[in-house]
Every structure is written in structure tokens, then in C-alpha cells.
Amino acid sequence: MRQVFRWRWLRSSHIRFLGLILLLELLFGAALLLSVTQLVRANLDAADAAIATEARDTLLAIGRDQGDRSLISAINDRANEEEDGLILFVDKTGRRIAGNLAAWPPTIAASTNWAKASLYRIGDTQPGPFGISAAHLPDGRRLLVGERTDNSDQMRRTVESALLTGLLMALPLAVVGAWLVVHIIDRRIAHIAATAAGVSAGDIDRRVPLDGSGDSFDTLGRAINAMLDRIGGLLAELRVVTDSIAHDLRSPLTRLRARIDRAMETDEPMALRGAIDGISREADQLLAMLTTALEISRMEAGIGRDHIAPTDVHAMLVDICELYEPLVEEQGRMLSVSGETAPPIPASVPVHRELLGQALSNLIDNALKYGAGAMQLYLLEEEGFLVIGLADEGPGIAREREAEALRRFGRLDAARGIAGAGLGLSLVAAVAHMHGGSVRFSRRDKLFAVEMVIAQAG
Amino acid sequence: MGGRILLVEDDRTTAEFILKGLAEHGHVADHSDNGRDGLFMATDGGYDAIILDRMLPGLDGLGVLGALRAAGIETPILLLSALGSVDDRVTGLTAGSDDYLVKPFAFAELLARLELLMRRRGAGTAVETVLHCGSLRMDLLKREVRRGDRSIELQPREFRLLEYLLRHVGQVVTRTMLLEGVWDYHFDPGTNVIDVHISRLRRKVDGESDEALIHTVRGAGYRLGE
């Protein structure tokens, strides 16, 4: 356990980040050192080579133009006067004719443009570094000219040590830099973590502070805040629902309880039968209420979208109308579908057939219960949206109570005199919402209509 | 005409309730309380129908259903489930079951659907062009309905409703079965829409004087028969 703890810090992303930056810094430094050194060496060598070659070629020219005497005199001059010079002139047997070197060095070829060697000049006590050019004359004699390279060697060493020092000084800077970067990231993430921890602890209103920069931390914070807003909204709604359930489920359950109590007291078969019928109806109503409430919750959670398929909505309205017509007529009312599928209305629209059917059925039920006069189902096209509506000649819903009517368990008669669970319209709203639309109320020419406005693209 | 039925249901109370009801109606039923045993029994049992709970320990109902259908076993299966949303029903039906019933359910509904499944299987593929019940006669080709000598004029949907009833003579047909079978909708209409259609049809078929053919079955639905 202790062992694990001791090494765990190695796995921390901070340490890894730091290590990575150091490693990159080292690799970069090494590459820089290597390439600069190579470059400097090549440049200095080229300069030295140019001097030696030029001196050699000058002497060769003297020999060619002014004869051997002048050449030997020039060689002697160079041997005696130039402190850094190296020179040797030998005959074809290799015997020295003139110069300050005892013998031709075995590592140097007769004709050389550039070579480096460490040599003793006549009279020197220790060898010196020389850059050498040599030439083979046509008559077999050979000339070797050299120049000390101490200065360029010195310069190269200076450059190398300067680079190495720079690199070593950059390392601590890199560590500090990496630490700063880690610290900045850490602080931004700490805000988000603190918010998440706060929300987990119950402070649901807490949000990630944003700086508006639009960088990835800001985007992350914004996304988390949006998620928290949504969760907050759902929680608030849940609270409304639980409160409503407390009220709306308790009343039918209490009625059920009372009926059961009464049934238990009676011995008369007919009365018992009637009581059981009543209990059964009450239970059915409770079940229906529960089913609808669950259905709405599922739709709001987006479950069931995979059953959305292209459907001929107009034909569906005709179907539903045909299904309800007898019932409506029995109540002395009328139900019809208006118009035909005009060109702007697509023949098929992606909808959830069952849920849309359920919504239409709820609308007709509502109009039967609360509306008056003839009812009309209709279909309109409106700026890329499809409007499915049901109009009747009843008083409709007062404007100031529209929101209330759409709320789950929201019922407009406070006394709840007419049977119903207050879920019909909120199911319609949930269906519309699932189809990327909404529910609205419209009033024209004494007609009141509830309309589902849905996106044609589904 | 009792059938051999397999019940796969883990809830003891529900299972006892169903088994007792099936025995009372002359069916022989076996019972398994988990998906694995249920699948095993269904594979070699030679049942006339299977009642399958959707949420089971071991292997869930849809798993059993999938395994049976994959093995080429075509025994009619009625899915029984507490998952009652419209989507659950559609998913259950498209997964290969022959019918779907939501808990809690009335036994009459279960029995009606079950007997329908078994009857449908026995009926084979013979194409019927004339349907009968007592003095009622429906010619599917001429789209003509007669009660004795009297010709009955029906709306297209009334025709289909009567056709459905005639195809299930003597059997209990529930309101939801009618909504599914005639209108192809699986939602819950809440009001008594189907009852009104039936009472219209009844007026036309049974009239004033004739002996009634369309009977209301208390707490369940309707039955066509003498």
C-alpha cells in the first residue's frame, strides 16, 4: 500500500507534463548543439583551407613564372618570416630542397587540397595543429603549404561551450515554464471541479465561472452550465409533478378506499356488485392517469424517437375522424376533416403515428368535454411547419390560463368537477415537442382551436 | 378445445392467477419462473401458445423471444409486460411476438387474445371468401352482407369491423383488440369510441326483431355468435 502511494505521483498528469517538456527541451538543445557545431567547424575549415590553398597556388605561380630561384627564395621567406606558416619543398626522391619541415609527413598525399595534421616544424618543441594543402609539380617535385589552425580551434571550442551553457541554463527555465502552464490549467479545471462538487453536495444553483474568452475551458464551462440548467429545470418540473401527484392521485385513491370500505359493510349481492363495478372503474382511471403521466415523461426524455416514420397525416386525420364520428354524433355534435392535401402540404411527414393518434384522440376528448358545436380537424402548411389543429365553437381557454392548461396535472376547474386527470393537453404538448414543435391556441371567427405546430423534417 | 400453454412469469401471484384461470377454461398450462427454463421448455415442448413476461430473471422476455424465433420456433407468443407505453408495445410487436398485453390486465383480455392466437394458428392458410355466423353471411368478394333474406348496407369501416368479428366467431374480442385489428392503432382512446361503433353495427345486424348475434361480454368486450 505504501509502495503504491509512493509511486502514484509518477502517474500524475502534472509530472508527466513536466517530464515531457523537459525531454523535448533536451532533445531540441542537443539537436541545436550538434548542428551549430557542425556548421561552425565546416565554415572555419573552409576559411583555413582557402588560406592554405591560396598560399600554395601563389608559390606555384612564382615557380612557374619566375623560375626555381625565386620560388626557393619565396619558400625560405615564408619559412623564416611567417610565424604560423608551414612549408616544405622536396625533390622527386623526397629529399628536402627548402622549407621548415624536416620531411614529408606520411599521412599527406602528394596532391592535397585540404588535410589536417599535427606536425613538428624544425625548431619547434611541441607539435601544432596545421591545415595543409599540397601540390605535385610536373617534374616530380612536391610542395606542401600549411597554416596553423589554433585560432579556429579556439573559436570552435568557445561556440560549443557557449551553446552547452545556454542549454543548461534553459533547463530550469523550462521546468518553471512547464510548472506555470500546469498551474494555469489546474486553476481553470479546479473551478469546474469545485462547481461539480458543489452541485453534487446539493447546491444546484452553482455554475462554472466563465471568462467569455471562448477558449476550450470556457466552452467546457458553458456546456456544463447548460447541462446544469437542464437538470435544474427537470428537477423543478419533478417537484411540480410530485406535488400534483400528491394531490391528484390522493383524491381517486381516497375515493377508492371509501368505496372499498362501503362494499365491505354491505351483504346485499346487487349492492356489492355495483360497488365492485365502481371500484374497478376507479382503478382503471388511476391506471390510465399513471400510463399517460409515464408516457409524457418518456416523450420528454426523448424516448420513442426511433418510431418516427413517414406518415400520411391527412389520411390519418380522416382515419381518426372516422373513428370518433359515431361517438361525436351520439352527443349531437359534428366532426369533420377540412380541405384536401393541397400541394404545399407534403403527402407524408415523419411522425410517431401512435403518439400523434393519441394526441388527436385527446384533443377530440377535450373538445367533447369542454367545447361546443361542430368540431373540425385541419391541416395547414406554415413556413416549413405543419399545423395540425382541432377547432370547435366552444368558449375555449382564457388567454391568461393557457400556460396553466398545458401544465401536467393542470386543470382549469378548481373544483375538478368534470372527470379527468389534467393530462390530456400536456400529452398533446409533449407529442408536439417530441416532433420538434409546440402547441398553441388560436381564435378566429368565434372558433377556438388547439394547434400542434410540428417540424416537417421530424 | 383446450390448448397446451406455456406460461413464463416470475411473479408468483400473477402466475397463479393466470394458471388458475387457464385451467378453469379447459387449457393445460406449464409454468416456468425464469427465462432460461422457459426457453428450454419452449424449445422442445410443442406448445400451442406461450405467454411470456417481458422482465424475467436469467434471460429477459425479448431475449427468449429472439432465441425462439432464431431457432425457427413459430409458436404464437403473447408478451406480457408492465412496460405499457406505446413504444414498448411497438418494440415488443416488432421483436417478433404475436401479441402484446400490458400489466395490469383483465384475465378476460388475456384469454381472448390467447385463444385468438391459437385459433389463428389452427386456421391455416385457407383463403375464405364467405364468412358465416347463424343466418348472417358475408361475401368478401362481392362485399355483400345478408342476414337471412335481408341485405345489410354497411360503411367500409363497419364492414371491416363485422369481418373481424366474423373471423373470430364465438370468441371474446376486447375493445383494444378491435382498435388494433380494425383501425391498426395501439393507443388508449380513453372514451367508449369502440362501443359506439359496435352499437351502430348491432343495430344494422341484429335489428329489432332478429335474434341477437352480437353479445356484450361483461368486463371484457364482445362476442359474435348464436
Side-chain angles (χ1 to χ4, degrees), chain A residues 60-202:
Chain A
L60 287 176
I62 292 174
R64 198 165 53 242
D65 300 342
Q66 301 168 27
D68 284 354
R69 187 178 293 275
S70 299
L71 175 62
I72 288 165
S73 139
I75 290 171
N76 283 333
D77 283 354
R78 186 176 167 85
N80 297 331
E81 285 163 18
E82 285 194 34
E83 207 173 304
D84 291 339
L86 174 76
I87 193 152
L88 177 65
F89 191 43
V90 295
D91 65 13
K92 58 185 169 191
T93 61
R95 206 160 46 84
R96 184 166 75 100
I97 300 169
N100 57 6
L101 196 61
W104 192 274
T107 53
I108 306 296
S111 183
T112 306
N113 270 332
W114 177 245
K116 286 182 88 168
S118 188
L119 297 170
Y120 283 93
R121 285 181 302 189
I122 295 168
D124 277 358
T125 50
Q126 50 187 342
F130 289 96
I132 294 160
S133 269
H136 207 172
L137 271 60
D139 56 8
R141 291 179 300 177
R142 285 174 286 166
L143 176 67
L144 180 150
V145 180
E147 189 75 24
R148 276 187 87 105
T149 56
D150 294 34
N151 284 341
S152 28
D153 287 351
Q154 179 74 34
M155 188 184 261
R156 207 178 62 222
R157 272 196 296 278
T158 309
V159 168
E160 282 169 13
S161 68
L163 277 170
L164 205 64
T165 314
L167 181 64
L168 287 177
M169 276 167 60
L171 277 179
L173 276 178
V175 172
V176 172
W179 183 82
L180 275 175
V181 169
V182 164
H183 182 71
I184 290 168
I185 294 177
D186 231 26
R187 231 189 38 207
R188 300 289 307 259
I189 292 198
H191 285 314
I192 296 172
T195 307
V199 172
S200 302

Side-chain angles (χ1 to χ4, degrees), chain B residues 79 122 190 193 208:
Chain B
L79 268 185
V193 263
E208 301 283 316

Side-chain angles (χ1 to χ4, degrees), chain A residues 277 307 322-323 329 354, chain B residues 87 157 186 197 200 218:
Chain A
D277 266 0
H307 290 302
E322 192 268 346
L323 176 65
E329 279 173 15
E354 299 291 337
Chain B
D87 273 297
R157 196 67 73 164
H186 295 81
H197 280 275
R200 286 194 164 196
R218 206 180 161 80

Side-chain angles (χ1 to χ4, degrees), chain A residues 259-440:
Chain A
R259 279 178 190 270
I260 291 171
D261 283 350
R262 252 179 290 151
M264 285 200 295
E265 282 163 12
T266 183
D267 292 326
E268 216 201 309
M270 279 309 285
L272 203 57
R273 178 87 220 177
I276 289 173
D277 266 0
I279 289 167
S280 164
R281 268 200 310 280
E282 207 76 68
D284 280 350
Q285 204 187 322
L286 267 171
L287 271 174
M289 213 164 130
L290 196 63
T291 309
T292 314
L294 285 175
E295 195 82 74
I296 293 172
S297 301
R298 288 170 54 89
M299 274 187 268
E300 278 171 0
I303 301 170
R305 282 183 205 278
D306 47 337
H307 290 302
I308 291 181
T311 309
D312 183 344
V313 178
H314 187 263
M316 215 184 130
L317 292 190
V318 174
D319 257 16
I320 298 278
C321 176
E322 192 268 346
L323 176 65
Y324 272 90
E325 224 176 349
L327 180 72
V328 175
E329 279 173 15
E330 200 158 80
Q331 301 201 4
R333 311 262 303 265
M334 262 180 57
L335 174 66
S336 60
V337 180
S338 82
E340 291 301 308
T341 311
I345 294 170
S348 80
V349 178
V351 293
H352 193 305
R353 184 173 171 272
E354 299 291 337
L355 291 177
L356 186 58
Q358 177 85 68
L360 288 169
S361 144
N362 285 11
L363 285 181
I364 297 173
D365 276 352
N366 274 350
L368 276 175
K369 272 187 213 149
Y370 310 111
M375 299 187 268
Q376 196 172 53
L377 279 168
Y378 57 87
L379 196 59
L380 299 171
E381 210 269 346
E382 200 179 273
E383 290 160 9
F385 282 85
L386 198 66
V387 180
I388 306 167
L390 177 71
D392 75 355
E393 297 164 353
I397 297 168
R399 275 178 204 279
E400 63 274 15
R401 308 196 68 179
E402 287 178 355
E404 203 181 330
L406 290 172
R407 218 186 53 220
R408 211 175 303 180
F409 294 104
R411 291 177 59 187
L412 297 181
D413 53 330
R416 322 222 154 190
I418 306 174
L423 288 171
L425 267 184
S426 54
L427 183 125
V428 176
V431 170
H433 193 235
M434 183 190 200
H435 289 84
S438 58
V439 166
R440 67 178 185 203

